[in-house]
Amino acid sequence: MLALRLTRSAHPAVQLRRLLVAAASAGTGFLLLSALGHALGNPDAASTSTLRLAWCAAPLAATVYFAVAVARTDPGTRPRPGLSAVGLGPARLMAVSATTTALSCTLGSMLALLVFLHLRGDLTGMPFDGAATDFLAAGRPLPLPAALTLLSLVPLSASAAVAVTLRPREPEAGTAPAARSYGRFGAYRRTTVRESFGAYGRFGKQFGAAARGRRTAVPAPGPDGAAEGATGSPAAESAAGATPVAAATVPAGLPWGVAVLAVGLAVEALASRTGGAAGDRPAALLGLALTSVGLALAGPGLTHVCGRLLQAVRPGALRLLAGRVLMAEAARIGRPLGVVCAVLAAAYAMASLQHRQDATSGPLVTLGVLLVAGCTLATLLTAAVEARQARAGTTEELRRLGAPAATLRKAAVLRALALLALFGPLTLVVAELSAWPLSR
């Protein structure tokens, strides 16, 4: 009941994202039922039916990925202060979010079943004059348990993925607050090193080692004779405070992504030299899968590198703001961006095999490609919304300090152009290299 109330009282934008999840679930469910219909109508072509069912794994994964992204941006199930007192702790909110996702996916699966039954002619007369009966199995009874089992894959997988992603996590050992300790005369102290008698009364002891280092440091003279890098200046102190933000570490997936991408391209090059028909070379498809995985893994690292490049040569305030935002959000928007590039490259490469498909599977292939591309693009947009929500406090602080709204908009446009300039040519190159062995 709580999940239904939160679903009904959500913002229209949140409702729209949930309806998109239901639509994606409906498309995936229809593809699964089409594979079942092909198996019923062609009992002698078991291998072809199995291959059609295996191709449904890509739309299923894209739908689950999109459902998880929508659940992460749902403001109704976000932990807030005071909710634990009324029994809505992190675990309960995670369960509510998983239930809401299951409801959306179940709605889409039921819609897919109704459309499939309508096209078969079980509800009304068969439309389209009986066309596309190859994957509908109109003349055979539909096994309802098998159909419901296939339709339950999307709700169960999506709700389980949401539960795993949003599960409550224990705080790391390094982030735990230090135990409170008391110094002399009940005063608080931050270190556990005991002081000798009378040490606190010595001049400068209470300022710490950092303050003594600032007073004793001798700045190096610059070319004009002025002291450079004077640590006692307010500008230097503010720059030092900003250094940990600028020195964010590169996401760990970049070396692995580049390595997997290189292996995939090498496998495709080897498959192109062996000759033979494209459909008879599973190594080419394996190389295509590896290149797609490599692009997805390298997405966060490439986004971080893009942020660094924006600040490379004498950056101004606009490039500094755009670059640091990209570096801070590399893990959040880099992975969906890498997945979008991988899907586009794979779709371009698989277009060379379109002439080998039979006429009956053409609409289903188009539906699957549109479904995967739409889910990945919607996931990227949802991740952008999540990133905007995450930096809402920083944006409000910048506006309070007097940053013009036009500057923030220009920084957002600059970030988009920088990502397009990096990922666009990379996607085209990988797509061309992947399509070459498949088209021979």
Side-chain angles (χ1 to χ4, degrees):
M1 292 300 297
L2 179 60
L4 290 176
R5 290 180 181 179
L6 291 176
T7 302
R8 185 181 58 183
S9 61
H11 194 270
V14 180
Q15 298 285 18
L16 177 61
R17 292 196 290 266
R18 291 171 179 171
L19 288 178
L20 290 178
V21 172
S25 176
T28 305
F30 186 81
L31 290 178
L32 291 172
L33 291 178
S34 300
L36 176 61
H38 184 271
L40 293 176
N42 302 273
D44 297 334
S47 59
T48 305
S49 301
T50 304
L51 182 60
R52 289 195 175 199
L53 185 61
W55 278 112
C56 295
L60 176 62
T63 303
V64 171
Y65 192 45
F66 179 45
V68 171
V70 170
R72 287 171 59 93
T73 58
D74 192 350
T77 57
R78 187 175 302 160
R80 292 183 295 273
L83 291 181
S84 298
V86 295
L88 293 178
R92 182 74 180 276
L93 289 178
M94 178 267 296
V96 170
S97 183
T99 305
T100 304
T101 303
L103 290 176
S104 301
C105 294
T106 302
L107 176 63
S109 297
M110 293 299 101
L111 179 61
L113 180 60
L114 290 178
V115 172
F116 188 77
L117 293 178
H118 174 69
L119 294 179
R120 278 172 48 90
D122 295 340
L123 301 181
T124 58
M126 180 177 296
F128 310 117
D129 297 330
T133 57
D134 179 71
F135 60 88
L136 294 176
R140 299 176 180 271
L142 181 67
L144 191 59
L148 294 180
T149 300
L150 289 178
L151 290 176
S152 64
L153 290 178
V154 180
L156 292 179
S157 302
S159 58
V162 169
V164 171
T165 304
L166 302 182
R167 70 186 186 277
R169 292 178 174 84
E170 295 293 335
E172 298 180 359
T175 60
R180 177 177 297 180
S181 59
Y182 299 93
R184 300 184 186 277
F185 305 104
Y188 298 145
R189 68 179 180 187
R190 299 180 181 178
T191 61
T192 57
V193 180
R194 297 186 61 86
E195 300 172 351
S196 60
F197 181 77
Y200 187 80
R202 288 197 289 269
F203 180 76
K205 179 65 178 178
Q206 64 273 19
F207 296 107
R212 294 195 303 273
R214 286 198 298 267
R215 290 197 302 272
T216 57
V218 179
D224 54 353
E228 290 183 347
T231 55
S233 61
E237 292 182 2
S238 60
T243 300
V245 180
T249 58
V250 181
L254 182 58
W256 289 103
V258 173
V260 174
L261 179 61
V263 171
L265 293 177
V267 170
E268 290 181 352
L270 180 62
S272 65
R273 297 184 61 180
T274 57
D280 298 333
R281 292 200 304 268
L285 298 178
L286 176 61
L288 177 61
L290 289 177
T291 54
S292 302
V293 173
L295 276 177
L297 289 177
L302 292 177
T303 305
H304 189 277
V305 171
C306 186
R308 281 189 176 273
L309 292 178
L310 277 178
Q311 312 170 67
V313 182
R314 301 179 65 87
L318 185 61
R319 284 199 293 151
L320 274 176
L321 179 60
R324 293 194 179 188
V325 169
L326 277 182
M327 292 170 63
E329 297 175 353
R332 182 177 285 111
I333 66 175
R335 185 61 53 80
L337 185 58
V339 172
V340 169
C341 295
V343 168
L344 292 179
Y348 182 84
M350 293 302 297
S352 59
L353 296 178
Q354 182 63 27
H355 65 279
R356 301 179 55 86
Q357 306 292 336
D358 54 345
T360 59
S361 62
L364 297 180
V365 171
T366 304
L367 176 61
V369 171
L370 292 178
L371 184 61
V372 173
C375 286
T376 52
L377 183 60
T379 303
L380 177 60
L381 296 178
T382 306
V385 172
E386 182 185 5
R388 183 178 180 181
Q389 294 175 355
R391 66 173 185 271
T394 304
T395 304
E396 185 64 27
E397 187 68 20
L398 288 175
R399 290 179 178 176
R400 189 184 66 84
L401 293 175
T407 302
L408 300 179
R409 288 193 296 267
K410 290 179 181 179
V413 174
L414 183 59
R415 293 195 302 270
L417 292 178
L419 291 176
L420 183 61
L422 178 63
F423 282 92
L426 177 63
T427 305
L428 290 178
V429 170
V430 173
E432 287 289 345
L433 293 177
S434 301
W436 179 53
L438 292 176
S439 58
R440 293 186 60 182

